[in-house]
Each structure stands twice: as C-alpha cells, then as structure tokens.
C-alpha cells in the first residue's frame, strides 16, 4: 500500500475510534503512531517523532497562554461576575417579551469576554440564568436552547482559547485574530437576540416577563459590572495596543480576575484549590489533544495527503468560493460528531493548505484571518447542532424536567441565525477585516 493510500485510510480508522468513544487525543495519537510505523517500516521514526514532538509541544511559549486564560475563566466564575452581568442585563431587558432570554445572551457575551471557553460559559451562565428563566415563565426547551446558543459566544468573543490554537497552527498574530473576532462576536449576540424576538412572537406562550424596574434600580445594577469591563479592556485593549504580548495579557487577566474574586470574598482556599485543579485538568486535556494532533498531522504530512488534496482540488475547476462553501459545509457535518478543539486541530492543517492556494483577492494574512473566523463560527454552530451538540447536553443536564427533544426544536432557530451570519461574513469579508 502506498503512503498516500495509507494516509487516506487513516481517516475512516480515526472516525471509527471516535465512534467507539475513544478520547479524541488518544485516537489521533494511535492513528499517527500506527501510520508512521507502517509508512516507515519500523519504530525508529515514530519513536523519534514522539520524543521531539512531546518536548516541542509542552515547552512551547505560545501555548502557555492557554492555562492562563483557563485560570482567568475559573477566577471569573468564582468572583460572581456572571451573576452581576445577568442581573444588569435583566434589569434593562427583563420587562420585555423575551427580555430575560436576551439578557442571558448579553450576559453570555460579557462573560465570554473574560472566559475564552464555550463550555465554561454555557455551564456557568446555565447555573445563574436557567433558574431565573424558569421562574419567569420560560418554557424549558426555549430556556435551555437560549443558554446553549449563548454559551457559544465564549469561543468567539475574544479572548478565545480556540483562536489561540488556530493562530499557532496557521502562524498568525493572536492580537490580530482577537481584533478580527470582535465584530463577528457582536453580530452573533445581536443575531441571537433578534432570533429570540422572532421566536417569542411565533410562540408567545414560551416566554414570560418581569416587572419594569425604576431607572434608579437599573442604573444601580450596572455598578457591579465594572470589573468585567475593566478586565476585558485591559486584556484585549492592552494586547491590541501593544502594551503587552498575548501571554502577558493573559497573565494580567488571570491576576486581575483573581484579585477581583479575592476582594469579593468568594475566593477562599477551597475555591482557589478548585480553580487550580480545574485549570490543570483542562490544560492537560487540551495539551494531550494538541500532542495527538501533532503526531497525526506529522504522519499526514509524510504521506503528502494535504499537498495531494490541494492539487486535486485545484485541478477540478471549482471556484474559490465554491471550495470555501464545501469546506464550511464539511465543518457543519463534522460538528455533529466532534468537539470544537478537536475539529480545529485535525482539519486546519489539511484545509488551510488548500485555501492558501486560492485567489480571494486578499493578502495571505488577511485570508488566514478571514478563514479562521469563518471556521470558528461554523465550529461554534457544531456545539449546538443536534444530535451531539456539547452545549446542548451541558445545559439540558441542568434541567431534568426538560426533554432534550424540546431543546433540539428550539435551538434550530439559533442554528439558522448562525448560518445566516456565516453567509453574510462569507459575502462581505470586510466585516471581519475592518478592525485589523
């Protein structure tokens, strides 16, 4: 069997291992090691690759940003920022039809600006907002679908762990990618709020309202939100303006949220230990997936799969836009089977060489940034796409009285909003690139 055939054969083997519920990091590592063994007829290459790749992965300065952003999210969770954001948004929107759901989306966007993880945003805001939504008369499926969709803002609104991984894979500037994600992130939040407004008009019995608060009470609800604005402005603004590097910005953000959590009285020894353990666990999981992807992608590079795929696509006569659409559609399908980080690590080294050879009328760096934001949005859709959307399971597990099928039905409205946003950003790249 040729090396190229071996490379293509590894894809169904990898998907089979995932289907058998093998952890994605282990599945990619086994496929990479097995493929290198068969392609080189021995253990020398894969053993040398395993040694060098392990050291280079775990000693990478760029990857040190990941545990810092995860720690910042943990401190933000314990500091009570999520409750403050939801109360402030609810004070201004709660009296409107669907207003509490819009407030939950707004709070998710705010929390995502200091968290960087979709699953953490969904889980944290679910604990805060789901009981309030149910008490306000919201149907279970609508409430869980809203929070699952809102949670996806955690990986789109900077800082974002997934964007950091993409920047490393494509050798792009992290600060530039963060800047490019701001407008698409705001569009996502506004699109979800518009979706809620449409939904409650189609199904008025699915949502309730709260009493309108006096202006003084609404303004007072804004006061506890200032730490969020301070941390976001300091981290993202500092990185964007060149005051410090992304890693330094992550350290500043982690320290800032830690101080805020300590001053709030919510960061005792137990919470600190839990934050450190959760950060260590999350970092270990991400790093192991990164290692597995590095070994597997090294095997694919040896078999020339990305290069041959690029050559084949170029020879088919497809327009660049058609190829982009097909790749994004593939991500939509894959999102039903895999988590976002695994998709990025597995597919970007394969698809980016294909995209980089196409002429979209922009510089290679702008093309990489535009493609990255589009991929991030489609990957985000995978988190709420039935039947295997991770956010759907996280939120639905918090409300045992709501059937998962009810969440599926309601979340399709948010999926439609995401697809419309992808089409807009695909047709008008300037929306993504205007801030860079």
């Amino acid at each position: 069997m040729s090396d190229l055939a071996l490379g293509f054969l590894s894809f169904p083997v990898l998907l089979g291992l995932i289907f058998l519920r093998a952890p994605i990091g282990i599945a990619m590592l086994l496929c990479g090691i097995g493929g290198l063994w068969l392609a080189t007829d021995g253990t020398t290459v894969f053993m040398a690759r395993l040694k060098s790749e392990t050291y280079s992965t775990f000693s990478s300065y760029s990857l040190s940003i990941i545990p810092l952003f995860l720690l910042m999210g943990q401190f933000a969770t314990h500091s009570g920022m999520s409750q403050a954001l939801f109360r402030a948004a609810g004070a201004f929107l709660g009296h409107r039809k669907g207003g509490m759901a819009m407030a939950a989306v707004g709070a998710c966007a705010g929390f995502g600006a200091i968290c960087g993880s979709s699953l953490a945003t969904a889980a944290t805001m679910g604990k805060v907002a789901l009981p309030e939504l149910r008490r306000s008369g919201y149907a279970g499926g609508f409430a869980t679908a809203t929070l699952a969709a809102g949670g996806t803002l955690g990986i789109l609104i900077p800082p974002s762990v997934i964007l950091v991984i993409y920047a490393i894979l494509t050798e792009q500037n992290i600060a530039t990618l963060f800047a490019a994600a701001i407008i698409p992130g705001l569009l996502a939040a506004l699109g979800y709020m518009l979706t809620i407004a449409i939904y409650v008009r189609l199904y008025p019995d699915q949502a309730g309202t709260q009493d309108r608060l006096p202006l003084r009470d609404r303004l007072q609800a804004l006061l506890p939100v200032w730490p969020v604005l301070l941390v976001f402005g300091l981290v993202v603004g500092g990185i964007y303006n060149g005051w410090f590097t992304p890693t330094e910005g992550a350290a500043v953000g982690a320290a800032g949220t830690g101080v805020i959590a300590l001053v709030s009285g919510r960061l005792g020894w137990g919470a600190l230990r839990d934050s450190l353990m959760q950060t260590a666990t999350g970092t270990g999981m991400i790093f192991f997936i990164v290692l597995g992807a590095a070994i597997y992608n090294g095997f694919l590079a040896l078999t020339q799969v990305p290069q041959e795929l690029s050559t084949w696509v170029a020879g088919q006569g497809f327009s660049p836009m058609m190829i982009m659409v097909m790749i994004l559609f593939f991500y939509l399908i894959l999102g039903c089977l895999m988590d976002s980080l695994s998709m990025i690590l597995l597919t970007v080294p394969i698809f980016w060489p294909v995209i980089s050879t196409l002429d979209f009328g922009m510089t290679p760096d702008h093309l990489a940034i535009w493609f990255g934001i589009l991929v991030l949005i489609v990957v985000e859709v995978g988190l709420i796409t039935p039947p295997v959307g991770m956010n759907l399971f996280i939120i639905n597990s918090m409300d045992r009285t709501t059937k998962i099928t009810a969440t599926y039905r309601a979340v399709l409205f948010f999926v439609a909003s995401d697809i419309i946003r992808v089409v807009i950003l695909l047709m008008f790249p300037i929306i993504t690139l205007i801030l860079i």
Side-chain angles (χ1 to χ4, degrees):
M1 183 182 297
S2 68
D3 288 350
L4 184 62
L6 192 62
F8 280 111
L9 181 62
S10 69
F11 290 114
V13 173
L14 177 64
L15 292 177
L17 289 172
I18 295 172
F19 181 77
L20 294 174
R21 303 186 68 82
I24 182 66
I26 293 178
M28 287 192 289
L29 186 64
L30 290 176
C31 285
I33 289 176
L36 287 171
W37 191 342
L38 293 173
T40 58
D41 295 323
T43 63
T44 304
V45 173
F46 91 74
M47 289 296 290
R49 178 82 181 179
L50 186 61
K51 179 182 70 174
S52 61
E53 201 67 52
T54 301
Y55 175 78
S56 62
T57 296
F58 296 147
S59 64
S60 171
Y61 177 76
S62 299
L63 284 178
S64 63
I65 194 174
I66 292 175
L68 292 171
F69 275 142
L70 293 178
L71 184 61
M72 184 171 73
Q74 288 295 323
F75 284 155
T77 300
H78 288 289
S79 68
M81 292 181 182
S82 54
Q83 293 94 325
L85 285 165
F86 183 63
R87 283 195 295 267
F92 282 85
L93 298 171
H95 62 281
R96 299 179 180 276
K97 193 70 172 177
M100 291 300 292
M102 296 179 188
V105 169
C108 286
F111 191 77
I114 53 173
C115 180
S117 167
S118 174
L119 299 181
T121 300
T124 302
M125 294 309 305
K127 295 175 184 176
V128 173
L130 187 56
E132 290 295 327
L133 290 174
R134 297 309 306 270
R135 277 195 292 268
S136 298
Y138 282 75
F142 180 38
T144 52
T146 297
L147 291 169
T152 62
L153 299 174
I155 64 170
L156 182 55
I157 295 180
S160 167
V161 172
I162 303 296
L163 271 181
V164 172
I165 297 294
Y166 177 83
I168 293 171
L169 290 175
T170 57
E171 300 181 349
Q172 294 300 310
N173 184 278
I174 295 174
T176 304
L177 272 166
F178 281 0
I182 291 176
I183 292 180
L186 294 176
L187 283 177
L190 293 174
Y192 287 160
M193 291 183 183
L194 180 60
T195 300
I196 291 168
I198 294 172
Y199 189 92
V200 296
R201 280 161 178 76
L202 293 175
Y203 306 101
D205 60 326
Q206 297 280 298
T209 58
Q210 292 188 345
D211 294 334
R212 186 186 185 98
L213 294 178
L215 180 60
R216 180 178 179 180
D217 291 343
R218 282 185 278 171
L219 294 176
Q220 192 172 5
L222 290 176
L223 294 179
V225 177
W226 70 265
V228 178
L229 301 177
L230 177 64
V231 171
F232 176 77
L234 190 60
V235 174
V236 178
I239 294 173
Y240 186 69
N241 289 307
W243 298 341
F244 31 68
T245 66
T247 302
E248 293 168 347
V252 169
T257 50
V259 170
I260 292 168
L262 186 63
V263 171
S264 69
R266 298 171 182 262
L267 191 64
W269 286 113
L272 177 61
R273 183 175 60 252
D274 181 63
S275 296
L276 294 175
M277 287 299 297
Q278 290 294 327
T279 299
T281 302
T283 301
M285 178 195 70
I286 291 174
F287 275 30
F288 190 82
I289 295 175
V290 170
L291 175 63
I295 299 295
Y296 182 63
N297 289 325
F299 159 65
L300 292 180
L302 178 67
T303 60
Q304 298 289 303
V305 167
Q307 295 86 341
E308 290 294 330
L309 186 61
S310 298
T311 303
W312 180 82
V313 170
Q316 299 307 303
F318 297 128
S319 68
M321 190 60 70
M322 177 61 70
I323 295 172
M324 179 71 83
V325 170
M326 288 191 294
I327 289 176
L328 295 179
F329 182 76
F330 177 81
Y331 273 110
L332 281 176
I333 302 300
L334 199 62
C336 298
L337 304 172
M338 300 175 65
D339 65 273
S340 55
L341 177 62
S342 303
M343 278 193 285
I344 291 291
L345 287 167
L346 176 63
T347 59
V348 167
I350 298 172
F351 289 149
W352 170 237
V354 175
I355 293 295
S356 63
T357 62
L358 304 177
D359 182 14
F360 285 92
M362 60 183 77
T363 66
D365 286 343
H366 283 177
L367 177 59
I369 291 167
W370 179 52
F371 177 65
I373 299 301
L374 287 172
V375 168
L376 190 68
I377 293 173
V378 181
V379 164
E380 160 203 321
V381 178
L383 293 172
I384 58 172
T385 303
V388 199
M390 292 292 291
N391 278 15
L392 300 179
F393 290 118
I394 287 176
I395 298 298
N396 203 258
S397 67
M398 299 179 184
D399 186 359
R400 297 295 185 182
T401 62
T402 299
K403 293 182 179 180
I404 190 67
T405 52
T407 305
Y408 286 166
R409 286 193 296 269
V411 84
L412 292 178
F413 286 81
F414 295 98
V415 172
S417 172
D418 282 328
I419 292 175
I420 291 171
R421 177 160 40 96
V422 170
V423 172
I424 293 173
L425 295 176
L426 193 60
M427 294 176 62
F428 304 102
I430 189 61
I431 297 175
T432 302
L433 304 175
I434 192 170
L435 292 182
I436 66 174

